[in-house]
Amino acid sequence: MLPERELKRTARQMNLPGFGPEQQERLHNARVLVIGAGGLGCPIMQTLAATGVGRITVWDDDHVDITNIHRQILFGASDVGRKKVEVAAERLRALQPGIEVTAVDGRLTPDNFIAALDGIDLLIDGSDTFATKFLAADAAEITGTPLVWGSVLRYRGDIALWWSGPGAPADGVGLRDLYPTQPDADSVPDCATAGVLGVTTSVVGSLMATEAVKFLTGVGNVQVGRLHMYDALSTTIRRFTVARDPVRPLATRLSTYTEACTSVPSTEGRMLYDALTAHHLPSLDVREPHEKAISDLPAPGLNLPLSEVERDPDAARRALSAFSPGDEVVVYCAGGVRSEKFVAEHAELASTLGISLTSLPGGVQRWV
């Protein structure tokens, strides 16, 4: 039975056709694990707590940063520096008095993921790396845990319910039926600069929460393997049905999952970074001004945003002419993608000016 306070708090919801006390009680008794208290995790947890999910576990090892709060709607400026899971737990308890929130300040890994899913009714993946998403998908398949999955980049978001493994429907579908292998680092957009519209994460997170509520209550039509692709600029949703690959073996163990955006720094990269910070080498930063405001190298050099180069064909020549013949100029950006592009396109020009260009591997996000 629902506690009297919870019955009253959610009374308006139980006026819905097909959604009565039985459905509300299912939510109240549900145990959900959310990966990440970020752009997706915040609206997901906010909506689930308000709707009436009674037990939420959240895993995250990060602290609130001022750059988070345009999209991570459980946090405010006064929370900067605090642990995300602690702030999230406070907000959820304010939304639903009596909710059981388990806030874990840590990361899910191949060593602890299977145990973390013990007793969980639904896993919700609000993470932002391929490594975590494939780890979550495999752990869910090994344990037969239903998985609400989502991702956001720029103005677009994807949502799906995956369910495969023990106890899943015979035609159950997993993430690896859509993406058999984890993409390599070269196929990943620049993680620090691709950008995301804050309201897009709220829309996608709310859609994920809606799928979770429908699944937990049995209300509406929830189809395993149905991929929803949301586009904010056109306000449209396209849908595709992913079928089970009959020849794909189900996951039976967790393996090693490499973070696409945090590969091991190279020796060359370390030497370049050390030389830059010791002011031994001149540098050229090709990021945009708002990126410099977020983070920068200890010894910043000349700034030439690539957007300026695209607008003005002579911008690169003017900037490179500011260096002296014989200079070995280190070009850097957020993740190394744009700096490599700049070096490739302007190496010949630099040579005519008597200077050389080298891209800093990994960029600012790897070294700062």
Side-chain angles (χ1 to χ4, degrees), residues 34-38 42 45 56-64 72 74-75 79 81-93 101-107:
V34 178
I35 307 172
C42 281
M45 291 187 289
I56 295 177
T57 298
V58 54
W59 284 69
D60 197 303
D61 68 346
D62 202 0
H63 293 74
V64 180
Q72 299 179 12
L74 287 178
F75 311 135
D79 298 314
R82 299 184 60 196
K83 293 180 179 179
K84 288 185 177 181
V85 291
E86 291 183 358
V87 181
E90 290 178 6
R91 303 292 190 271
L92 300 185
R93 291 174 185 131
V101 181
T102 302
V104 184
D105 179 26
R107 287 195 175 197

Side-chain angles (χ1 to χ4, degrees), residues 4-12 49-52 95-97:
E4 183 66 26
R5 187 176 186 181
E6 184 66 3
L7 184 66
K8 185 174 182 179
R9 193 185 70 84
T10 59
R12 297 291 179 90
T51 305
L95 285 167
Q96 184 196 147

